């Protein structure tokens, strides 16, 4: 039994006031991750500030992008006609995640802050540096089929579980944050952290800061975008590997491209080496394979997840092939 207090905030200011000076206070979105962690005794907040009363608006920006409130639900975002038309990769990624009931509850802000599904993180009998600094990592040398192949460290090989965030990484989203010292914006690629020797730090949010919104910049090539996900079951399963891609063709060559991977690292993985290789290249399977090889050059498995390296290469090639085929119709 965890003894905690609860309040519902009607604004970002109220939420910040609710956090202020309360050690152990946590923000509560839809509760689809935090409540699970509380049930497992992994999270033990002393006070919960419910932020589902914050903005649920999706607004057009003057530049032609979208401003998305942090309390918008996954379902609302995936079903927004502007998202479906201008950023289909985002709608697809959301609909590949979780279940209808969970998507109805889960929020955009909570999605960014959800924690890894590493089995050992959820089991308080196991050693986990993310849960208890310096205790060790039972995933290294343990059963690590779902774990990272890129950007891992000797301290932690966990992966980020979100589908939505993979699409947001490819789309160059901007995270809006508010804290006691005011507001700031963070490019999506800089928001999540690799584990290094501090795997308990998962984002650049400072204590007491709050995600208030996201901006999707205008990105014409995002109209031709695709999310693919390889998983053990066809629904309600996390990605072994996923790919978010957007491509603009100029004749037979790739004029512009965005590519990000999920299920492979502690953060949504923007595939910049692959993007560089693809710019101006012929839109052929050989170019896609070369780009995938470059992106995965530094990848390594930890035993049970060795298969992910080749799986990620093939998923990149397959996704780009599908996208180019659709583009050419
Ligand atoms: Fe903990 Fe990370 Fe190791 Fe999993 S991989 S047990 S989250 S330190």
């Amino acid at each position: 039994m965890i003894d905690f207090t609860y309040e519902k905030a009607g604004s970002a200011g109220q939420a910040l006031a609710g956090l202020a000076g309360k050690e152990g206070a946590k923000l509560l979105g839809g509760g689809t991750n935090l409540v699970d962690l509380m049930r497992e005794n992994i999270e033990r907040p002393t006070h919960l500030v419910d932020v589902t009363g914050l903005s649920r608006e999706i607004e057009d920006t003057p530049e032609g992008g979208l401003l998305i409130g942090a309390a918008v639900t996954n379902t609302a975002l995936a079903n927004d006609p502007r998202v479906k038309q201008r950023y289909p990769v985002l709608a697809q990624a959301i609909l590949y995640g979780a279940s209808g009931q969970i998507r109805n509850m889960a929020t955009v802000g909570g999605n960014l802050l959800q924690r890894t599904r590493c089995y050992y993180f959820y089991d308080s009998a196991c050693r986990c540096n993310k849960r208890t600094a310096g205790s060790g990592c039972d995933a290294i040398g343990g059963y690590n089929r779902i774990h990272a192949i890129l950007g891992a460290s000797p301290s932690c090989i966990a992966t980020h579980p979100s589908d939505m965030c993979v699409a947001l990484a490819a789309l160059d989203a901007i995270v809006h944050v508010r804290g006691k010292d005011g507001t700031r914006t963070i490019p999506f690629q800089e928001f999540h952290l690799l584990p290094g020797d501090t795997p308990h730090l998962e984002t650049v949010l400072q204590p007491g800061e709050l995600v208030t919104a996201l901006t999707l910049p205008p990105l014409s090539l995002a109209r031709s975008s695709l999310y693919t996900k390889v998983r053990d079951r066809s629904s309600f399963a996390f990605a072994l590997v996923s790919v978010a891609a957007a491509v603009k063709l100029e004749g037979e060559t790739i004029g512009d491209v965005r590519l990000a991977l999920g299920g492979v690292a502690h953060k949504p993985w923007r595939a910049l080496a692959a993007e560089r290789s693809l710019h101006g290249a012929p839109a052929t399977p050989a170019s896609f394979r070369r780009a995938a090889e470059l992106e995965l050059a530094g990848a390594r498995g930890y035993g049970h997840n060795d298969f992910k390296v080749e799986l990620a290469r093939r998923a990149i090639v397959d996704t780009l092939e599908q996208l180019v085929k659709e583009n050419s119709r």
Side-chain angles (χ1 to χ4, degrees), residues 116 118 120-121 127-131 136-139 147 155-158 199:
T116 182
C118 171
Y120 302 99
F121 174 69
R127 296 178 308 153
C128 173
N129 288 320
K130 188 183 278 299
R131 219 178 335 96
C137 170
D138 275 342
H147 288 76
S155 294
C156 180
I157 60 171

Side-chain angles (χ1 to χ4, degrees), residues 202-227:
E202 294 168 351
T203 71
V204 296
L205 278 185
Q206 296 299 307
E209 279 189 321
L210 165 75
V211 173
T212 56
L214 285 177
T215 300
L216 296 180
L219 193 65
S220 60
L221 79 159
R223 289 176 185 262
S224 168
S225 59
L226 181 68
Y227 189 73

Side-chain angles (χ1 to χ4, degrees), residues 183-201:
T183 60
R184 64 183 177 124
T185 56
I186 304 166
F188 201 81
Q189 276 191 75
E190 296 169 18
F191 184 76
H192 295 98
L193 297 170
L194 290 175
D197 54 9
T198 54
H200 61 290
L201 299 177

Side-chain angles (χ1 to χ4, degrees), residues 45-262:
T46 56
H47 182 65
L48 288 179
V49 181
D50 183 336
V51 287
T52 55
L54 271 62
S55 170
R56 293 197 166 207
E57 299 296 317
I58 303 173
E59 300 165 50
D60 286 294
T61 66
E63 299 78 26
L66 290 177
L67 178 68
I68 301 160
V72 170
T73 65
N74 288 17
T75 298
L77 188 57
N79 288 328
D80 188 284
R82 295 163 295 182
V83 174
K84 287 198 224 177
Q85 189 183 34
R86 294 189 225 160
Y87 308 97
V89 66
L90 178 58
Q92 293 161 15
I94 295 168
L95 293 175
Y96 268 123
S99 65
Q101 290 94 333
I102 289 175
R103 293 193 295 269
N104 288 343
M105 290 298 295
T107 62
V108 165
N111 202 303
L112 266 59
L113 299 176
Q114 63 179 304
R115 308 202 68 191
T116 182
R117 262 56 180 191
C118 171
Y119 332 110
Y120 302 99
F121 174 69
Y122 274 76
D123 185 345
S124 57
C126 294
R127 296 178 308 153
C128 173
N129 288 320
K130 188 183 278 299
R131 219 178 335 96
T132 310
S135 64
C137 170
D138 275 342
I140 299 174
Y143 184 61
N144 46 41
R145 186 168 180 275
I146 64 169
H147 288 76
I149 54 170
L150 288 165
S153 78
S155 294
C156 180
I157 60 171
T159 52
H160 195 273
S162 171
D163 292 297
M164 178 195 288
C165 288
V166 183
L168 293 173
L171 295 171
D172 289 320
I174 303 287
V175 185
H176 297 250
V177 165
R178 183 166 161 187
K180 64 177 170 37
D181 298 324
T183 60
R184 64 183 177 124
T185 56
I186 304 166
F188 201 81
Q189 276 191 75
E190 296 169 18
F191 184 76
H192 295 98
L193 297 170
L194 290 175
D197 54 9
T198 54
H200 61 290
L201 299 177
E202 294 168 351
T203 71
V204 296
L205 278 185
Q206 296 299 307
E209 279 189 321
L210 165 75
V211 173
T212 56
L214 285 177
T215 300
L216 296 180
L219 193 65
S220 60
L221 79 159
R223 289 176 185 262
S224 168
S225 59
L226 181 68
Y227 189 73
T228 60
K229 178 173 177 176
V230 185
R231 50 187 165 170
D232 284 325
R233 293 187 305 269
S234 60
S235 74
F236 204 35
F238 294 99
L240 292 167
V241 170
S242 66
V243 180
V247 167
K248 180 180 165 204
L249 287 180
E250 288 172 358
E252 308 258 302
T253 61
I254 298 170
D256 202 359
V257 59
R258 299 288 186 282
L259 200 62
L261 305 178

